[in-house]
Amino acid sequence: DGSVTIGSSQDNLDVKCRGGNITITLSDIRDVVLIESFGGPVKLYLSDEVCRKCMLSVNCTEKVDVIDEVKQLVNRNDNATSAIYVTAYAPVFVGKAKEWGQSI
């Protein structure tokens, strides 16, 4: 029962949180990132590089808000080499990240 904040990561992640907030900024991605939230909201910020090479899958029981710029970059990606899977029983927000790890 706590919050998870990862300022900037290039590593593969497997994050599970029960009740706390999850805030993650991904500057790069190699393979797969798994995020599971059982009650706390998820905020995910993706760099251009991540958007260009990942598939994004969000399964959520609450509101999902993915900004248009992220949708356009991910949807253009026909040759995804990595994947981000989010499963949440809470609201999910996916936005754009600056290169140094903060949201725009």
Side-chain angles (χ1 to χ4, degrees):
D1 287 342
S3 296
V4 176
T5 301
I6 299 174
S8 184
S9 177
Q10 295 184 3
D11 297 324
N12 297 331
L13 297 171
D14 186 352
V15 177
K16 293 181 172 99
C17 192
R18 299 188 187 282
N21 299 335
I22 298 177
T23 303
I24 298 175
T25 300
L26 290 174
S27 58
D28 199 358
I29 185 173
R30 293 188 185 106
D31 192 16
V32 175
V33 171
L34 302 170
I35 301 166
E36 292 181 273
S37 175
F38 300 93
V42 176
K43 290 184 180 175
L44 181 61
Y45 300 99
L46 307 177
S47 69
D48 281 346
E49 173 132 1
V50 171
C51 290
R52 283 190 201 103
K53 64 182 182 182
C54 84
M55 180 196 77
L56 176 63
S57 172
V58 179
N59 293 305
C60 182
T61 59
E62 304 284 332
K63 180 181 178 193
V64 177
D65 184 15
V66 180
I67 67 164
D68 288 340
E69 190 176 357
V70 169
K71 283 182 194 172
Q72 289 169 2
L73 284 169
V74 170
N75 287 341
R76 271 192 241 136
N77 186 356
D78 293 331
N79 299 312
T81 58
S82 54
I84 300 170
Y85 299 100
V86 180
T87 303
Y89 300 92
V92 174
F93 171 79
V94 183
K96 199 76 184 310
K98 290 185 180 178
E99 289 183 23
W100 48 273
Q102 292 290 333
S103 64
I104 295 176

